[in-house]
Amino acid sequence: MTKSFESQNDGNKLALTPALVALAILVMTLLRLLPIGAPMVFSDEYSYAVSTKFLYEGLGVAEWAPALSNWLYLRVFEIAHVGSGDALNAARILNSMFAAVAGWCVYLLARNWAGVKTAALVAVIYGFLFVGGYAAYFMPEAMFFAAVALLTLALHRYLGQPGLANALLLGLVGALATCVKSHGLLLLPAVLAGMLAARRMAAHGEFSRPVANGLALVVSWWGAAVILGGLLGDKWTLNLLGGFYTDVASNSASKLGFDRLAQVLLLAKSHVSTMLLVVGFPITIATVFAFRSLWRPPSGREDGGLAAMVVALLCAYSGMLVVSVLFTVSQAGAGPYETLTRLHGRYYEHLLLLTAILGVLISPRLLTSLTLPGRWILASISAVLVIAAVFGSTGLGWQAFSDFSLAYGIYVQPLWRYYAIFISLAVIVLATMMPRKAHVVLGGGLLVWLVINAYETERLRYSLEPQAGDRVGEIIATAEAGGDRANILVISPGGADVQFLKRIPKDIKSVATMKEHPFPTIAVIVPCYNEAAAIGTVIRDFAAALPQAEIYVFDNNSQDN
């Protein structure tokens, strides 16, 4: 293992262990969630809550569950419905546990290159400040991010000891991630890219039998996911992406006109700029380290493995960003919140943060290996990227709470971009001036930003009124206070599907329709901004699904028409 840049006595002084770090993250995440009372009134939450409730009550599988193929998540979160307590709060406790698992994995990973304090710092950053931001929702994100952190740890094990056994183990961990969220399968090509990069940087004789190991990885990943999904309730299908993401691909192809694609690519540029604004310098350091290692392979296996992990994470991030863009194109107009100005950051920001954490760990060895002019050239390039990111992050539009954790404050408070740029530029200057302490500077800067961002996010989550389309949360609250449970309904964006959320009777086997549960008056309120291309489709879909409803559109002073 590479010698840490910290004192080797850190472990004796602080007596921190992975278990204690995980426990601290668990406690902090639970405390973060305590002030949140009512459900977050996000439609996907109710879809997952209904699916797990159906399974728990023995009613079979909700109709959309097979299309998502996230059976491991569904089976684990059946626990949330045990007893008579609040299922959402139970889900939050489970999510907090997975936030702790994610931090535990990052701590173990970081200890290969850093001392106890730095490892604990990045573990808290990932587990508490990042994954904890998703712990409030009845959704699989927290569990999935923990699985991805475990996958990264397994990849490090393989890169340190390349062989058939570790390739099979890596595939099994990938299968677990795939069964939590089906697009985890899309991480497979990125892991293969990391293995190829390691082969490129390895000394003669290392990473022998790369084809055999790669095939072992693919077979174990795919095969274990099929078997595990089948055992948990799936249909033993080889289509691990599920019907939903298969439909997303076909819908994207049918809707991918030049105008729509150009608009979404501009949006993607804005989001990439925002991510660079927050984690640009550590990402730059990690990228430079990886490409330098590919160009001039390092002498030690540890450095080569570290560079290969960066390659895998950057490939995964690029792929997931493309998936997010295609998802936006596919779903635009499918509901009041699905627009071309919304990009779902939860697909990719965890990968970007893991890359940034590796950049924090890499920073001392990269910066100390450069000459003084070389360090300032790198710092100047990074500063230019950060300043350019301020201008590139304009025009983001509305984003959902559940879409971002790394930089949500910027999406709702444009002024916060300038807080981010101040922190980023200060970090660049200080790390360049103190290269041996660069990991402390970068980690501290990331910590400061995420604490500020978490404060802003939670302040908004606790204070904002529910959107007009989120009144389902009020219905649930009324029912839980003793109201009529027959009115606890979740209406899909299409308008026809209805599911009961709590206390589902055993004799209910089918999905009700709006015709079976008519309401005397329905108002559909559609907030939008610069959605001239999609608003017509949204209005027509609502009119067809709810012919008795009155539809109101608020354009928020849109500039496009």
Side-chain angles (χ1 to χ4, degrees):
M1 296 299 174
T2 304
K3 184 179 178 180
S4 168
F5 281 83
E6 295 181 2
S7 169
Q8 297 301 307
N9 294 323
D10 281 347
N12 296 329
K13 290 180 180 178
L14 299 179
L16 287 175
T17 65
L20 287 176
V21 171
L23 179 61
I25 293 172
L26 173 62
V27 172
M28 288 189 294
T29 306
L30 289 173
L31 291 174
R32 179 177 182 175
L33 300 178
L34 278 179
I36 303 177
M40 297 304 298
V41 288
F42 177 57
S43 59
D44 283 13
E45 275 194 291
Y46 300 116
S47 298
Y48 288 117
V50 168
S51 297
T52 52
K53 184 67 173 178
F54 267 47
L55 291 173
Y56 178 71
E57 295 284 353
L59 299 176
V61 181
E63 60 176 322
W64 56 79
L68 293 175
S69 298
N70 48 4
W71 285 92
L72 183 58
Y73 166 76
L74 294 177
R75 291 299 186 182
V76 169
F77 273 70
E78 282 186 68
I79 300 172
H81 301 284
V82 174
S84 57
D86 186 338
L88 181 58
N89 282 330
R92 288 171 177 168
I93 293 173
L94 289 171
N95 283 335
S96 299
M97 293 179 179
F98 285 114
V101 171
W104 174 77
C105 292
V106 170
Y107 178 87
L108 292 179
L109 184 67
R111 282 293 285 128
N112 291 286
W113 305 286
V116 173
K117 289 186 288 187
T118 299
L121 174 65
V122 295
V124 168
I125 286 173
Y126 189 79
F128 168 58
L129 290 171
F130 173 67
V131 180
Y134 287 98
Y137 309 110
F138 202 128
M139 292 169 61
E141 266 61 37
M143 187 177 181
F144 180 65
F145 296 156
V148 173
L150 183 61
L151 180 66
T152 307
L153 192 60
L155 177 60
H156 173 263
R157 179 183 177 88
Y158 171 81
L159 295 173
Q161 297 177 329
L164 188 62
N166 282 333
L168 291 171
L169 176 64
L170 182 58
L172 292 176
V173 177
L176 291 177
T178 302
C179 290
V180 175
K181 279 183 77 74
S182 53
H183 61 249
L185 180 65
L186 301 176
L187 299 175
L188 176 56
V191 172
L192 288 171
M195 294 171 66
L196 289 174
R199 171 66 177 172
R200 165 74 179 83
M201 292 179 285
H204 181 72
E206 296 180 353
F207 290 89
S208 59
R209 301 188 304 171
V211 175
N213 289 344
L215 287 176
L217 171 71
V218 173
V219 170
S220 62
W221 190 315
W222 209 294
V226 170
I227 293 172
L228 181 59
L231 292 174
L232 294 175
D234 207 349
K235 297 180 180 179
W236 300 91
T237 176
L238 294 177
N239 180 15
L240 297 179
L241 287 178
F244 178 77
Y245 286 104
T246 304
D247 290 342
V248 165
S250 61
N251 289 341
S252 299
S254 64
K255 295 180 178 181
L256 205 59
F258 177 78
D259 293 341
R260 180 168 292 209
L261 177 60
Q263 185 174 354
V264 175
L265 287 178
L266 286 174
L267 178 66
K269 179 265 299 180
S270 298
H271 282 280
V272 171
S273 298
T274 303
M275 295 293 116
L276 285 175
L277 184 60
V278 175
V279 292
F281 193 42
I283 292 291
T284 301
I285 287 175
T287 304
V288 169
F289 180 83
F291 278 93
R292 189 179 72 169
S293 299
L294 285 170
W295 180 261
R296 189 178 60 195
S299 57
R301 177 186 292 181
E302 195 67 27
D303 281 358
L306 183 55
M309 291 177 64
V310 172
V311 170
L313 288 170
L314 288 175
C315 288
Y317 163 68
S318 302
M320 286 298 184
L321 180 62
V322 171
V323 169
S324 181
V325 169
L326 294 177
F327 184 84
T328 297
V329 172
S330 171
Q331 298 299 107
Y337 300 145
E338 297 294 351
T339 69
L340 288 175
T341 61
R342 178 183 177 190
L343 198 65
H344 301 74
R346 63 182 183 270
Y347 280 89
Y348 58 78
E349 64 173 357
H350 59 293
L351 300 165
L352 204 60
L353 182 57
L354 284 171
T355 309
I357 286 173
L358 291 184
V360 171
L361 302 176
I362 289 167
S363 58
R365 72 187 63 209
L366 177 68
L367 293 178
T368 54
S369 71
L370 298 175
T371 62
L372 182 61
R375 288 201 298 270
W376 282 108
I377 289 172
L378 179 62
S380 300
I381 293 173
S382 300
V384 169
L385 289 175
V386 168
I387 294 172
V390 175
F391 300 99
S393 59
T394 58
L396 288 166
W398 178 87
Q399 305 296 324
F401 280 113
S402 55
D403 284 344
F404 291 92
S405 178
L406 188 57
Y408 186 76
I410 290 178
Y411 301 128
V412 292
Q413 293 286 357
L415 180 63
W416 284 57
R417 293 177 196 156
Y418 299 98
Y419 296 160
I421 190 174
F422 174 79
I423 294 171
S424 296
L425 292 178
V427 162
I428 291 172
V429 172
L430 290 174
T432 305
M433 293 175 62
M434 300 183 294
R436 290 190 173 275
K437 293 293 183 180
H439 58 304
V440 177
V441 175
L442 267 66
L446 196 54
L447 177 67
V448 169
W449 164 253
L450 284 174
V451 167
I452 294 173
N453 179 68
Y455 167 78
E456 178 67 7
T457 301
E458 302 306 339
R459 186 183 69 82
L460 289 169
R461 280 207 297 207
Y462 302 153
S463 63
L464 285 182
E465 293 294 325
Q467 298 294 315
D470 294 330
R471 298 304 178 187
V472 173
E474 295 180 5
I475 298 173
I476 294 172
T478 301
E480 290 180 340
D484 182 7
R485 293 192 179 277
N487 288 328
I488 306 179
L489 307 174
V490 172
I491 306 171
S492 75
D497 297 352
V498 177
Q499 299 287 358
F500 293 87
L501 270 184
K502 311 229 340 159
R503 306 289 195 276
I504 303 175
K506 295 287 186 181
D507 57 345
I508 295 180
K509 301 293 184 181
S510 62
V511 178
T513 66
M514 282 298 301
K515 293 181 180 179
E516 296 171 36
H517 294 275
F519 289 88
T521 303
I522 296 178
V524 176
I525 301 176
V526 184
C528 63
Y529 182 75
N530 288 346
E531 287 297 329
I535 193 63
T537 302
V538 174
I539 294 173
R540 286 191 293 273
D541 288 348
F542 270 115
L546 301 171
Q548 72 275 38
E550 296 181 7
I551 301 175
Y552 301 88
V553 178
F554 294 88
D555 67 358
N556 293 300
N557 294 319
S558 296
Q559 304 299 314
D560 59 344
N561 201 332

